[in-house]
Amino acid sequence: MLDIGIVFKIAGIGILTAVLHSILKSFGKEDQAHLATLAGVTVVLFMVIQMLSELFNYVRSVFSLY
Amino acid sequence: MEILEIVGLGLIATVFYIILKEQKGVFAILLTTAFTIMIFLLMMGKIQAILQVFEDLALKANINMFYLTTIFKIIGIAYIAEFGSQICRDAGTSSIAGKIEFAAKIIIMVLAIPIIVAILETIVRLIP
């Protein structure tokens, strides 16, 4: 009923990205660290935006907004 | 007991939020957004049931459906605007949250004008 998985997914991707960022930074690859962060943010943003569109469609149908 | 699940999930999300906020702030905000969407989706079904009851009552009382639809639209706009402004306020951009609330108030005012006009016309008709 309550899809708890997505919260864990976002937290996992966030922690992984933070670790990857610090590892790449310690190797001196600053720009790749930033690209890794950007990729992580994009993946999570994609998931959140899909949920958001689902919510907006639901609200529109329930409250009969045009 | 649905509330137990919600409270549990909220506490888990809070812990993750604090961890992520230390490392990467963007993910903390996205986590909050996902959690908020989940709660709003969960409550949406119940709101739908409540609105159904109100619609049935209005049909029995022979109220003009136009007014009820307007009220539903106003509730929906308030719901969505609250959702957006709270996330913006969590992210620390209170000014954007304020603009969202301002726009929602204006749109609600525009939707409410026909009802206000109807009330005023009724009052004018009552006064001899």
Side-chain angles (χ1 to χ4, degrees), chain B residues 12-13 23 36 51 66 69 73-74 76 81 87 89 98-99 103-104 124:
Chain B
I12 292 167
Q23 309 290 332
T36 314
L51 292 186
F66 170 73
T69 318
K73 276 182 186 171
I74 288 172
I87 287 170
R89 194 161 288 137
K99 300 303 174 292
V124 166

Side-chain angles (χ1 to χ4, degrees), chain A residues 14-63:
Chain A
I15 293 168
L16 198 71
T17 313
V19 170
L20 209 62
H21 183 89
S22 55
I23 288 174
L24 285 171
K25 211 173 172 183
S26 71
F27 283 165
K29 295 179 176 169
E30 296 271 336
D31 44 348
Q32 283 182 19
H34 284 299
L35 278 177
T37 308
L38 191 65
V41 171
T42 314
V43 169
V44 174
L45 197 62
F46 195 70
M47 284 166 18
V48 169
I49 283 176
Q50 275 178 342
M51 282 177 79
L52 196 64
S53 111
E54 193 185 328
L55 174 73
F56 280 1
N57 280 330
Y58 199 3
V59 169
R60 209 183 301 171
S61 70
V62 166
F63 290 106

Side-chain angles (χ1 to χ4, degrees), chain B:
Chain B
M1 288 294 279
E2 226 162 11
I3 186 68
L4 295 179
E5 291 175 27
I6 292 171
V7 171
L9 185 58
L11 290 177
I12 292 167
T14 309
V15 171
F16 280 135
Y17 177 82
I18 291 169
I19 294 171
L20 286 175
K21 206 181 173 189
E22 297 281 316
Q23 309 290 332
K24 292 248 171 287
V26 192
F27 287 101
I29 293 305
L30 286 171
L31 184 82
T32 317
T33 312
F35 179 71
T36 314
I37 291 171
M38 218 174 277
I39 298 297
F40 270 62
L41 275 176
L42 197 66
M43 288 300 115
M44 211 63 221
K46 305 198 185 309
I47 290 176
Q48 195 170 20
I50 295 168
L51 292 186
Q52 193 64 49
V53 171
F54 275 118
E55 213 169 333
D56 291 348
L57 285 176
L59 275 177
K60 271 182 200 159
N62 267 331
I63 294 172
N64 190 353
M65 281 315 278
F66 170 73
Y67 298 128
L68 200 72
T69 318
T70 309
I71 290 169
F72 284 177
K73 276 182 186 171
I74 288 172
I75 296 171
I77 288 168
Y79 198 68
I80 284 292
E82 181 74 16
F83 164 81
S85 76
Q86 274 180 354
I87 287 170
C88 290
R89 194 161 288 137
D90 266 357
T93 54
S94 302
S95 58
I96 295 178
K99 300 303 174 292
I100 291 175
E101 279 169 3
F102 166 72
K105 279 171 194 161
I106 300 293
I107 293 170
I108 286 173
M109 194 72 197
V110 168
L111 279 180
I113 279 176
I115 297 181
I116 297 171
V117 168
I119 290 173
L120 286 179
E121 275 176 356
T122 315
I123 291 172
V124 166
R125 211 177 301 139
L126 285 178
I127 296 170

